[in-house]
Amino acid sequence: MSIDIGITGLAKSGKTTVFNALTKGKADTGSLGPHIGIAKVPEPRLQVLANMLQPKRVVSAEAKYIDIGAPLKAISGQLLTELTNVDAVINVVRAFADESIPHPEGSLDVDRDIATTNLELAFSDLGIIERRLGRIEISLKGAKAPERQGLLREQELLAKVKADLEKDMPIRELRLTADEARTIANYQFLTAKPLLIVVNIGEEQLPQAESLESELNSHYSRPKRRLITLCGKLEMELTQLDNSAAEGFRAEFGMKESGLDRTIKLSYELLGLLSFFTTASGEVKAWSIQDGTTAVKAAGKIHSDMERGFIRAEVISYDDLLKCGSLAEARKKGLLRLEGKSYIVKDGDVITFLFNV
Ligand SMILES: Nc1nc2c(ncn2[C@@H]2O[C@H](COP(=O)(O)OP(=O)(O)OP(=O)(O)O)[C@@H](O)[C@H]2O)c(=O)[nH]1
Ligand SMILES: [Mg+2]
């Protein structure tokens, strides 16, 4: 199970270009979506572990990107389901100037376009809420006391969320009780998901990329919402080169880190994800999980049999393992801990799951 990230934005903002850059894909920018692709999650510790343990295979965690490829207000049915199932949303906003590519709104305006997409996301949620409120209304007519209570609570919560959405307040920024948050989670609302705004700049704007990013972030950075600048076109072209040539280009353009690595890392931060590693069967693998995940659930991420037949986990932190140089040495030093089902997995844990099937 990978992390799924949906790519939205206005027409001709560079969604498919950014999608290609992220997934090293070659989707035709002229073609309609949806495009679906996989990206390896950058995790420098994975290579260090591989150098030490010399496994047969090294396997990165993966993120799945979905370029919806249709305007938000036009999507429904299967495509809407696809989008509401994602874990996080990327909104591509056009900042590059190119007269040969007409902007749907007739002019470049990053703030306006961010506001427009936010409205569209909210509009999709309002549609879901209204349909549900209508159904609750009908159910209430024949409902018996216990059922009635639950329906009334849900009605009240949805009415509150609706009023906030109408005041431009996305669900991810609402203060909800744990109970309310659970109810809301069932709906997969789009404005409840972490949002990464990718401002797609032209090559000529690269020297200002950093200052533009911090200026925009001072307006747009909120809980579970962040903004980055990225030159989609250049990043897409760089994916076609080998690593050292790409590095050379980056240096020339004064780009410190690959825009793709930054995009994935930021999405991970917004989602509260961390990495753990497994080393069984000669394969060193990185996995991503939500902060706070228990050992038994982490095992389930690898295979449902491992969750069902979970016995215990043998755990060592990445740093401790590095100090020991090998798992055998770590075992000798007594640094391999035995942990049970409810152990909360920490970032960088190297884990061997013991299970029976
Ligand atoms: N000059 C310039 N052109 C770009 C940049 N990014 C994207 N483009 C071009 O803009 C056009 C639209 O890009 P796409 O990636 O297809 O945009 P999109 O949002 O997927 O477009 P639709 O799916 O048609 O709504 C393409 O011709 C791209 O090559 C950029 O940074 N600079
Ligand atoms: Mg497209």
Side-chain angles (χ1 to χ4, degrees):
M1 196 186 83
S2 67
I3 300 301
D4 294 1
I5 300 175
I7 300 174
T8 64
L10 300 185
K12 301 289 170 230
S13 54
K15 300 180 295 292
T16 304
T17 303
V18 169
F19 167 84
N20 278 337
L22 286 167
T23 59
K24 304 196 197 303
K26 296 188 178 64
D28 179 2
T29 51
S31 72
L32 283 174
H35 306 290
I36 296 179
I38 301 285
K40 288 189 164 72
V41 178
E43 173 49 86
R45 292 173 293 184
L46 183 64
Q47 200 48 54
V48 179
L49 285 175
N51 292 344
M52 180 172 100
L53 302 169
Q54 299 289 321
K56 286 196 292 266
R57 243 157 58 91
V58 183
V59 184
S60 296
E62 291 180 338
K64 184 165 118 191
Y65 287 92
I66 306 161
D67 170 14
I68 295 295
L72 270 169
K73 45 185 181 224
I75 69 172
S76 58
Q78 181 54 31
L79 209 51
L80 184 60
T81 309
E82 191 104 47
L83 184 60
T84 53
N85 280 334
V86 302
D87 302 295
V89 173
I90 284 180
N91 175 22
V92 178
V93 180
R94 172 166 169 181
F96 69 87
D98 188 335
E99 289 186 351
S100 69
I101 302 163
H103 191 296
E105 308 279 330
S107 63
L108 277 180
D109 186 335
V110 168
D111 295 299
R112 177 201 59 208
D113 292 352
I114 290 175
T116 303
T117 305
N118 283 343
L119 266 177
E120 288 178 359
L121 292 169
F123 199 71
S124 161
D125 288 352
L126 283 168
I128 295 172
I129 291 178
E130 261 148 34
R131 284 193 293 277
R132 178 63 193 150
L133 282 174
R135 254 175 265 134
I136 291 178
E137 196 78 32
I138 294 166
S139 305
L140 274 171
K141 287 188 181 132
K144 300 262 179 322
E147 192 196 347
R148 193 177 174 78
Q149 232 171 23
L151 285 169
L152 285 171
R153 254 205 313 273
E154 192 181 345
Q155 187 182 46
E156 192 187 344
L157 175 61
L158 288 177
K160 188 172 93 176
V161 171
K162 178 169 177 249
D164 285 327
L165 276 172
E166 283 164 351
K167 280 183 281 181
D168 254 357
M169 176 76 105
I171 296 171
R172 76 180 88 81
E173 287 181 29
L174 302 184
R175 285 170 184 279
L176 301 171
T177 65
D179 228 23
E180 290 172 336
R182 258 194 303 277
T183 308
I184 291 295
N186 291 328
Y187 289 107
Q188 304 269 46
F189 289 123
L190 293 177
T191 69
K193 299 177 192 299
L195 176 66
L196 183 63
I197 302 169
V198 172
V199 175
N200 184 19
I201 58 173
E203 284 175 30
E204 64 292 347
Q205 291 166 290
L206 274 170
Q208 295 94 51
E210 249 176 280
S211 58
L212 181 64
E213 181 175 307
S214 56
E215 189 209 315
L216 287 169
N217 253 320
S218 65
H219 300 289
Y220 291 110
S221 172
R222 293 272 178 81
K224 292 200 249 170
R225 185 172 88 186
R226 209 69 55 74
L227 176 147
I228 64 168
T229 54
L230 189 86
C231 180
K233 201 169 171 209
L234 178 65
E235 293 288 352
M236 178 174 141
E237 285 160 7
L238 290 181
T239 62
Q240 321 286 335
L241 302 177
D242 67 47
N243 280 343
S244 67
E247 288 291 308
F249 266 100
R250 268 184 225 294
E252 207 174 301
F253 281 102
M255 298 155 77
K256 286 195 199 98
E257 196 186 3
S258 135
L260 319 177
D261 285 3
R262 289 188 61 218
T263 306
I264 300 186
K265 272 198 225 161
L266 260 176
S267 329
Y268 266 55
E269 261 175 56
L270 287 174
L271 283 162
L273 295 173
L274 51 80
S275 304
F276 76 90
F277 305 95
T278 56
T279 60
S281 325
E283 300 185 324
V284 173
K285 294 187 179 181
W287 306 85
S288 339
I289 48 165
Q290 206 81 40
D291 195 1
T293 302
T294 58
V296 65
K297 285 288 169 205
K301 193 132 175 128
I302 298 171
H303 202 290
S304 55
D305 281 347
M306 286 174 82
E307 180 173 348
R308 226 174 305 126
F310 183 96
I311 301 168
R312 60 181 173 272
E314 240 178 17
V315 185
I316 181 167
S317 73
Y318 169 84
D319 290 331
D320 280 349
L321 179 55
L322 226 56
K323 275 183 225 143
C324 296
S326 73
L327 278 166
E329 185 61 24
R331 193 182 303 277
K332 229 188 283 170
K333 290 199 168 124
L335 286 171
L336 283 177
R337 286 172 278 128
L338 289 181
E339 303 283 4
K341 280 186 179 178
S342 58
Y343 169 72
I344 303 289
V345 175
K346 310 280 183 304
D347 183 48
D349 276 352
V350 181
I351 308 182
T352 308
F353 291 104
L354 306 171
F355 65 105
N356 56 29
V357 279

